[in-house]
């Protein structure tokens, strides 16, 4: 008889990005993602995946990290906590300001530039 719990199935996108829960600071009251700065994919959907870095824009909303921009998106400060679809408009989501995360589980390439711009996030 097996008494240990086991995972019967895995939901796509429901993976853990946190490498440690010892030092985590979440955004209070969430952040608003500005749908107008999110690029649509081939199907016309504007989706940001869990763990995507976002930067604060001049209007107070957040946009996905893009090092080529100069509107705030080039300076990420938060990793979003869940996958969201902003096709229909702006969306409020939770995020991590301080955390230790698995770099290989994030939907972006973690390089020295991103690490330098997010000193409160430890990439494992």
């Amino acid at each position: 008889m097996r008494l240990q719990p086991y995972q019967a199935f895995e939901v796509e996108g429901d993976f853990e990005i946190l490498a440690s829960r010892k030092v985590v600071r979440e955004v209070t009251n969430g952040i608003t993602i500005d749908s107008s700065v999110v690029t649509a994919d081939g199907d016309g959907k504007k989706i940001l995946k869990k763990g995507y870095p976002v930067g604060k824009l001049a209007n107070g909303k957040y946009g996905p990290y893009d090092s080529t921009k100069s509107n705030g998106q080039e300076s990420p400060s938060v990793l979003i906590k869940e996958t969201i679809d902003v096709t229909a408009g702006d969306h409020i989501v939770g995020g991590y300001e301080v955390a230790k995360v698995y770099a290989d589980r994030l939907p972006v390439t973690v390089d020295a530039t991103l690490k330098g711009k997010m000193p409160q996030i430890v990439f494992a």
Side-chain angles (χ1 to χ4, degrees):
M1 176 162 67
R2 181 177 178 182
L3 298 176
Q4 274 67 35
Y6 66 95
Q7 188 170 353
F9 61 92
E10 184 173 326
V11 178
E12 183 179 339
D14 191 25
F15 49 88
E16 185 59 68
I17 63 170
L18 292 178
S20 173
R21 293 188 183 272
K22 289 187 178 182
V23 180
V24 175
R25 184 173 69 214
E26 297 183 24
V27 178
T28 306
N29 297 326
I31 59 172
T32 303
I33 303 296
D34 189 343
S35 64
S36 67
V37 297
V38 178
T39 306
D41 63 10
D43 297 329
K45 298 257 186 203
K46 295 182 176 184
I47 296 175
L48 289 180
K49 295 194 177 213
K50 179 180 186 176
Y52 209 100
V54 293
K56 193 168 189 176
L57 306 171
N59 62 7
K61 298 177 183 179
Y62 287 75
Y65 169 64
D66 186 344
S67 60
T68 64
K69 302 283 182 165
S70 60
N71 61 355
Q73 290 178 259
E74 76 283 359
S75 300
S77 58
V78 176
L79 294 177
I80 61 172
K81 288 178 65 174
E82 59 192 52
T83 299
I84 58 169
D85 185 350
V86 294
T87 306
D90 297 351
H91 192 81
I92 298 173
V93 66
Y96 300 112
E97 293 177 309
V98 177
K100 182 175 183 180
V101 298
Y102 294 112
D104 61 340
R105 295 185 185 177
L106 299 181
V108 294
T109 302
V110 177
D111 56 7
T113 305
L114 182 59
K115 288 180 179 179
K117 291 182 178 187
M118 300 190 82
Q120 301 295 327
I121 302 292
V122 177
F123 297 95

